[in-house]
Amino acid sequence: MTQTNHMTRSQWQQFILNQLSDQERERYEDHLYSCDECLEVYMACLDELAQPAAPSVPEVAEAIPAHKPAAKPFYRQTLFHYGLAACITLLLMTTGLFSQLLAHSNQWNSIAGAKQHRSVTDQLMQKTTAFLDQLHPITKGGKTGE
């Protein structure tokens, strides 16, 4: 205790950390009941010791486990898709499928050319023009022709 019968901050910290004998603890407790100034110091010491020190950034970074993305299975990787596409293309080229498709496409074009029909729009335009011609005969020389 100091001369004014008050305890210092370090003494209250020892009291809080239970570093005093039982007799001293009882004396400190009795003093707390009667001294508001020491009660404030005691409460401040409690707050300081109760609040853990904020961890630094490196401590937090070390505490966080490193996140490694899960490895994709081989069939979901881009390189596998490119390789598969190349293999299928080579297979189709060596079997002659592309040349057969080309021959058949020429046949389809010749069939389509033989059955060439006028478009629906063309047919509608022709019928509309014919209908309008019937309603309003073409005039010749300023007079309607009969």
Side-chain angles (χ1 to χ4, degrees), residues 1 6 16 24 32 36 44-45 57 69 81 83 91 97 99 102 115 133 141:
M1 288 196 214
H6 295 294
I16 292 169
E24 287 180 324
L32 274 179
D36 290 336
C45 288
V57 173
H81 291 170
L91 178 70
L97 182 69
S99 61
L102 184 62
K115 293 183 179 178
D133 285 344

Side-chain angles (χ1 to χ4, degrees), residues 43-68:
M43 295 301 288
C45 288
L46 272 178
D47 286 341
E48 288 174 8
L49 294 174
Q51 293 177 357
S56 64
V57 173
E59 290 173 356
V60 172
E62 289 173 6
I64 298 172
H67 176 68
K68 295 180 182 177

Side-chain angles (χ1 to χ4, degrees), residues 103-146:
H104 286 294
S105 70
N106 289 336
Q107 289 176 355
W108 293 329
N109 286 339
S110 63
I111 292 171
K115 293 183 179 178
Q116 193 173 28
H117 293 284
R118 291 187 315 191
S119 68
V120 174
T121 308
D122 240 3
Q123 291 174 6
L124 283 174
M125 286 298 292
Q126 285 250 327
K127 288 183 182 181
T128 305
T129 307
F131 177 73
L132 289 175
D133 285 344
Q134 287 177 356
L135 289 179
H136 185 65
I138 299 175
T139 58
K140 293 183 181 177
K143 298 181 182 176
T144 46
E146 294 181 14

